[in-house]
Amino acid sequence: QVQLIESGGGLVQAGGSLRLSCAVSGRTFSSVAMGWFRQAPGKEREFVAAISWRGGSTSYVDSIKGRFTISRDNAKNTVYLQMNSLEPEDTAVYYCAAALSRRTVVVTDKEYDTWGQGTQVTVSS
């Protein structure tokens, strides 16, 4: 079974940076489209970023305004989310997700097959 394990969350002051990591095990990582979602308190789960199987195509939610970058290192079976200029509004549980049968960018949560447990990101003002 494919497993996703997120790490890198924590408490950071506004304007700071964090890099989230998602380690993938259980199948060939290079053939899997990957994405990040987040869920803030009292809000619905929101798409954040996605990346194609080779890493050549990416997509982001408009609200992050160029502050985040998704990347992947297939040799390490890991996908990353670099978050810069963090704002209190970015506070949420961040989830890594895999679309096992897809290779292109996927932005709809319904199309993802496997999810990590989430990592908490808290941005203080």
Side-chain angles (χ1 to χ4, degrees):
Q1 183 180 32
V2 173
Q3 295 188 75
L4 310 180
I5 302 176
E6 301 105 329
S7 62
L11 175 64
V12 65
Q13 293 184 341
S17 298
L18 288 172
R19 188 173 77 160
L20 306 183
S21 298
C22 176
V24 182
S25 64
R27 66 159 292 154
T28 303
F29 177 70
S30 62
S31 65
V32 177
M34 301 291 297
W36 287 95
F37 291 76
R38 67 186 181 185
Q39 187 166 24
K43 300 185 68 175
E44 297 181 352
R45 187 165 59 191
E46 175 189 34
F47 167 76
V48 177
I51 189 166
S52 62
W53 71 299
R54 296 187 190 275
S57 298
T58 58
S59 183
Y60 300 92
V61 64
D62 290 342
S63 61
I64 65 171
K65 301 177 180 178
R67 297 177 294 117
F68 295 2
T69 302
I70 188 172
S71 62
R72 66 193 298 162
D73 186 338
N74 288 351
K76 297 180 179 179
N77 293 337
T78 303
V79 63
Y80 305 96
L81 185 67
Q82 178 68 47
M83 305 185 294
N84 299 325
S85 301
L86 283 162
E87 303 169 353
E89 292 74 22
D90 296 317
T91 295
V93 177
Y94 284 71
Y95 297 92
C96 179
L100 302 181
S101 64
R102 304 290 298 274
R103 290 181 169 86
T104 57
V105 170
V106 179
V107 301
T108 304
D109 58 359
K110 295 184 299 183
E111 299 188 58
Y112 284 91
D113 306 292
T114 304
W115 297 79
Q117 292 182 304
T119 185
Q120 177 71 49
V121 172
T122 302
V123 184
S124 62
S125 59

